[in-house]
Amino acid sequence: MNAIKYPVNSHQDDEERARRSVWESGDWLTAAQIITLAEMSDYPLRVQPDVWKKKGIIFAIQRGGAEYFPGYGLDHADGFRPLLALTMVTKILAPHRDCWGMAVWFGTRNPLLDGLCPQDLLELEPNNVIAAALALANGQSLCE
């Protein structure tokens, strides 16, 4: 008996591959891990990363029933608080991308950043990362 072959939704496959790649190459932390790293155990309800997310200062992705925050967007020298550049880019991209879309954007090589990933330049070249996000928000397809 011959197996029936169904057409593959290549867009869906591409999206899943991009998510898997971002997850595997990224630096993702749970709220509990951030709280521990930042020594925030005395914070009421231990929810500071969740508060940041609600205020649009940072984004989080869902995976396996848990929520993960981008560790690459945290300033290790400032108590693991979100980098200003991450906050600005999150606010710029929020109307255009869901959280996974932002994660993929941060983890994808960008021609406006000399082929480097935005997540790798957040601390070194924050203004360039912000400019690349603005270009995407303004409809310049070159950013992808």
Side-chain angles (χ1 to χ4, degrees):
M1 177 188 251
N2 290 342
I4 298 173
K5 293 186 179 182
Y6 295 98
V8 176
N9 184 339
S10 64
H11 175 72
Q12 197 171 24
D13 289 346
D14 290 346
E15 186 176 317
E16 183 54 37
R17 271 193 295 278
R19 286 181 177 198
R20 188 171 39 252
S21 176
V22 164
W23 175 254
E24 291 171 356
S25 68
D27 175 15
W28 299 98
L29 302 168
T30 65
Q33 290 170 315
I34 294 170
I35 288 166
T36 299
L37 288 169
E39 299 176 351
M40 290 190 249
S41 60
D42 59 339
Y43 276 69
L45 303 177
R46 298 172 50 98
V47 294
Q48 194 64 38
D50 295 323
V51 171
W52 297 336
K53 186 183 78 169
K54 287 177 184 164
K55 290 183 177 181
I57 303 172
I58 195 169
F59 68 94
I61 58 172
Q62 299 283 326
R63 183 157 175 103
E67 191 169 59
Y68 294 90
F69 297 85
Y72 57 79
L74 301 175
D75 188 344
H76 299 211
D78 186 26
F80 292 86
R81 300 322 188 256
L83 292 164
L84 179 59
L86 177 82
T87 296
M88 293 180 73
V89 171
T90 298
K91 290 180 184 278
I92 291 166
L93 294 182
H96 309 282
R97 298 283 168 106
D98 65 10
C99 292
W100 268 106
M102 282 191 240
V104 169
W105 184 84
F106 273 108
T108 301
R109 295 177 185 267
N110 189 307
L112 293 178
L113 301 172
D114 295 327
L116 299 173
C117 296
Q119 71 186 34
D120 298 330
L121 297 174
L122 272 174
E123 286 188 87
L124 299 172
E125 299 179 21
N127 291 335
N128 292 343
V129 174
I130 293 165
L134 285 169
L136 176 62
N138 290 325
Q140 294 180 9
S141 62
L142 181 62
C143 288
E144 299 237 283

